[in-house]
Amino acid sequence: MTTISSLELRSKITSEGRLELWLEKVTVPKPAADEVVVRIDAAPLNPSDIILLLGPAEPASIQAGGTPTHPTASANIPLQHMPGLKARLDKALPVGNEGAGIVVDAGSDVQALVGRTVAARSQLGMYAQYRVVKASDCLVLPDGVSPREGASAFINPLTALGMVETMHRDGHSALVHAAAASNLGQMLNRVCLKDRIPLVNIVRSQAQTEILKQQGAKYVLDSTSPTFPRELVEAIAETGATLAFDAIGGGTMAGTIVTAMEEALSAKGKSYSRYGSPIHKQVYIYGVLNPGPRILEGNLGTAWGVGGWLMTWFYEKIDSATAQRLRDRVTNELTTTFASHYSSEISLADVLSPEIIVAFSRRATGEKFLICPSGTRS
Amino acid sequence: MTTISSLELRSKITSEGRLELWLEKVTVPKPAADEVVVRIDAAPLNPSDIILLLGPAEPASIQAGGTPTHPTASANIPLQHMPGLKARLDKALPVGNEGAGIVVDAGSDVQALVGRTVAARSQLGMYAQYRVVKASDCLVLPDGVSPREGASAFINPLTALGMVETMHRDGHSALVHAAAASNLGQMLNRVCLKDRIPLVNIVRSQAQTEILKQQGAKYVLDSTSPTFPRELVEAIAETGATLAFDAIGGGTMAGTIVTAMEEALSAKGKSYSRYGSPIHKQVYIYGVLNPGPRILEGNLGTAWGVGGWLMTWFYEKIDSATAQRLRDRVTNELTTTFASHYSSEISLADVLSPEIIVAFSRRATGEKFLICPSGTRS
């Protein structure tokens, strides 16, 4: 095969406080014996990708630059965010956690993969036209499954299954999820319905309530309702949920969930203890929809925990047989339980367009963008 | 033995929002075969006792009542605290987690304990002249150790050892402690010096810094100093501490510690990761010096946890051989590593005195009150 060149997205924040985005032209290296070259046809814009891509830049402040054939984009970073960015300053970072496409070349050991459709993850960034990855890091998609259908095969499905697996491992029997109307939230709802796990969905509007109700969710609570605190205690008492996953992060939600769990458990207790319920109540924060301080108010009791949770580290911690079982489930249910929906398809150059950046930064419910780096609509 | 009558302290918060304290006269039951009757000569006023005793009543608002022979005390509870008190309303609660005294009567199986000096814990409250307890719940004090010396043999020593044991079990190798000048903090400092465990002490004044420095502490940081955040990162980087115990609870201290740990670890990292350091950073909150909201600000990374920690539950979780090993260490080092110091001795009736309530509620560093319920100064 002749040399392939590839355009790849780069994000840099300079010491001077500028965000710079551009497409870097690189030569695709030859695959090693155990590697494949994937032409990336579809890669989703997940919330964690958007955070890396833009940093704390205000989306509306981003301006186009460069030329039509070499587009760029840039913005000023608000000064107060600079101390937190020290570790990434002046580094040209690749972007894109996952994607899917066609194997166009392969090393000597894995020739059989040529022509197959695969999903893949790479630290080197999947917002690229081509990417060399280890064959063992690919999920070979079943016949008939397109790159578009496989583009989100890793992050959201393995996150939803990781949450359920965490629940089982830590001895809980029901879940609370906020904010639950996201693509991931809808996926978690499907997993819990299928596995008969009670799930308390917390959403932030009546419209989101309808979305989940239509998908068969039993408990959907609108956190903007004045009766929300009471409904949350009741739903937790009914389901017995003592574990929650929270994508909001900042603000009062994590504390509100712990206090509701403590109230539900204390009401069941026989006698008064100054220490509250001895049953451990846990909220894992896995997102930063609200980047502000996390405020834990009210009576949490003494048996509680709030902490970070990251899918990647969860899978590094568990044994490989369990991880394989969960990955196999994703492959088998990729077009049903784990189906993702996209509202827009964009090109790699579109990611540098100020209007499109504003659109995907909104992260509105029901809106999810798919990048098609190779230009091949899938 | 003839019937013994005993005065016992009671604390009640009524549905009408009144705190009521009084001494209840009860007849001491005969001990069962495996029980002993302890004449309680000394019982400390620990912070957790004060919280149960007074609830959220403002100490200065407490008024004396009753008669000289039957004193009482009472106060109004600020209305905003009433919802959090539901579980204890209208219950006459006994008070006093621990104490020590002389065994004056014993069941048939444990006659040998009569006359021995023991320390004990009881859910029934140790602020009483006599208490029947299971012999197995007593710590028989070595010859020559007085009730005063044994009064605080449970809560603080087992808390300090529980913290160190938690550190070993969870794979940490150094500790951060706030606020570290307390009786418990000084004890933890002695344990860590003896066991050669690096300990970062956080205190809240220059005077407290001096106390710990004089006791050989290497790292003592004054949180009121403008250079505190920087010093904390440096002390954590030097010691490698990834576990902290925090008695303050409310406010920003727990978050400040996590962000300092994250900054110290990130500075050691080789390459930038959007997820921060993969090493887990934990803060356990075990006190409520500040009863306000817990506010977690800044960059915590994604591998972090903040949660409640309670000595009692820790000892229920660990195996009995380990628990016994720790209890034995307390007995052996009761007058050295685990020595407590008291600034005042008071009678049971004194606990109802408004002036004395204001004095022990201050919980000033170096001030600790000892109740002598039997009237026998030890």
Side-chain angles (χ1 to χ4, degrees), chain B residues 133-171:
Chain B
V133 288
K134 280 207 188 307
S136 58
D137 287 345
C138 292
L139 208 64
V140 179
L141 300 180
D143 284 339
V145 174
S146 68
R148 182 189 166 109
E149 289 171 316
S152 296
F154 282 97
I155 309 295
N156 279 353
L158 291 180
T159 300
L161 288 180
M163 290 171 171
V164 169
E165 190 67 20
T166 298
M167 182 199 80
H168 290 306
R169 296 168 78 91
D170 294 354

Side-chain angles (χ1 to χ4, degrees), chain A residues 26-142:
Chain A
V26 301
T27 299
V28 177
K30 285 277 162 205
D34 61 345
E35 290 178 334
V36 297
V37 180
V38 182
R39 183 193 73 208
I40 303 167
D41 293 336
L45 266 158
N46 288 317
S48 59
D49 296 316
I50 297 173
I51 291 168
L52 184 75
L53 181 70
L54 305 182
E58 196 55 58
S61 74
I62 292 171
Q63 296 190 311
T67 64
T69 49
H70 294 92
T72 64
S74 63
N76 288 325
I77 299 291
L79 206 61
Q80 74 268 26
H81 293 296
M82 289 300 289
L85 297 167
K86 225 182 294 180
R88 68 168 286 186
L89 288 185
D90 301 317
K91 291 176 179 151
L93 300 174
V95 194
N97 268 308
E98 64 180 337
I102 309 297
V103 175
V104 294
D105 194 6
S108 51
D109 297 350
V110 289
Q111 279 290 323
L113 288 176
V114 173
R116 295 298 301 264
T117 304
V118 296
R121 298 179 68 181
S122 174
Q123 303 263 17
L124 298 176
M126 296 300 282
Y127 298 169
Q129 293 178 314
Y130 295 89
R131 175 64 59 225
V132 177
V133 286
K134 280 209 188 306
S136 57
D137 287 344
C138 293
L139 207 65
V140 179
L141 300 179

Side-chain angles (χ1 to χ4, degrees), chain A residues 35-240:
Chain A
E35 290 178 334
V36 297
V37 180
V38 182
R39 183 193 73 208
I40 303 167
D41 293 336
L45 266 158
N46 288 317
S48 59
D49 296 316
I50 297 173
I51 291 168
L52 184 75
L53 181 70
L54 305 182
E58 196 55 58
S61 74
I62 292 171
Q63 296 190 311
T67 64
T69 49
H70 294 92
T72 64
S74 63
N76 288 325
I77 299 291
L79 206 61
Q80 74 268 26
H81 293 296
M82 289 300 289
L85 297 167
K86 225 182 294 180
R88 68 168 286 186
L89 288 185
D90 301 317
K91 291 176 179 151
L93 300 174
V95 194
N97 268 308
E98 64 180 337
I102 309 297
V103 175
V104 294
D105 194 6
S108 51
D109 297 350
V110 289
Q111 279 290 323
L113 288 176
V114 173
R116 295 298 301 264
T117 304
V118 296
R121 298 179 68 181
S122 174
Q123 303 263 17
L124 298 176
M126 296 300 282
Y127 298 169
Q129 293 178 314
Y130 295 89
R131 175 64 59 225
V132 177
V133 286
K134 280 209 188 306
S136 57
D137 287 344
C138 293
L139 207 65
V140 179
L141 300 179
D143 284 340
V145 174
S146 69
R148 180 188 167 109
E149 289 171 316
S152 297
F154 282 96
I155 309 294
N156 279 353
L158 290 181
T159 300
L161 288 180
M163 289 172 174
V164 168
E165 189 67 20
T166 297
M167 182 198 79
H168 290 305
R169 296 168 80 89
D170 293 353
H172 305 274
S173 57
L175 285 173
V176 176
H177 187 220
S182 63
N183 227 293
L184 169 65
Q186 296 178 34
M187 204 175 272
L188 182 64
N189 181 52
R190 290 194 294 273
V191 173
C192 287
L193 285 173
K194 192 157 186 175
D195 293 4
R196 298 172 181 275
I197 294 165
L199 171 67
V200 179
N201 297 281
I202 299 174
V203 298
R204 293 182 292 175
S205 71
Q206 197 51 43
Q208 293 176 334
T209 305
E210 295 310 318
I211 292 172
L212 282 168
K213 286 272 185 196
Q214 279 164 16
Q215 296 181 17
K218 181 170 178 192
Y219 300 96
V220 190
L221 311 183
D222 178 357
S223 63
T224 64
S225 155
T227 55
F228 169 67
R230 180 66 11 223
E231 292 167 13
L232 182 60
V233 174
E234 285 165 10
I236 286 170
E238 268 186 54
T239 56

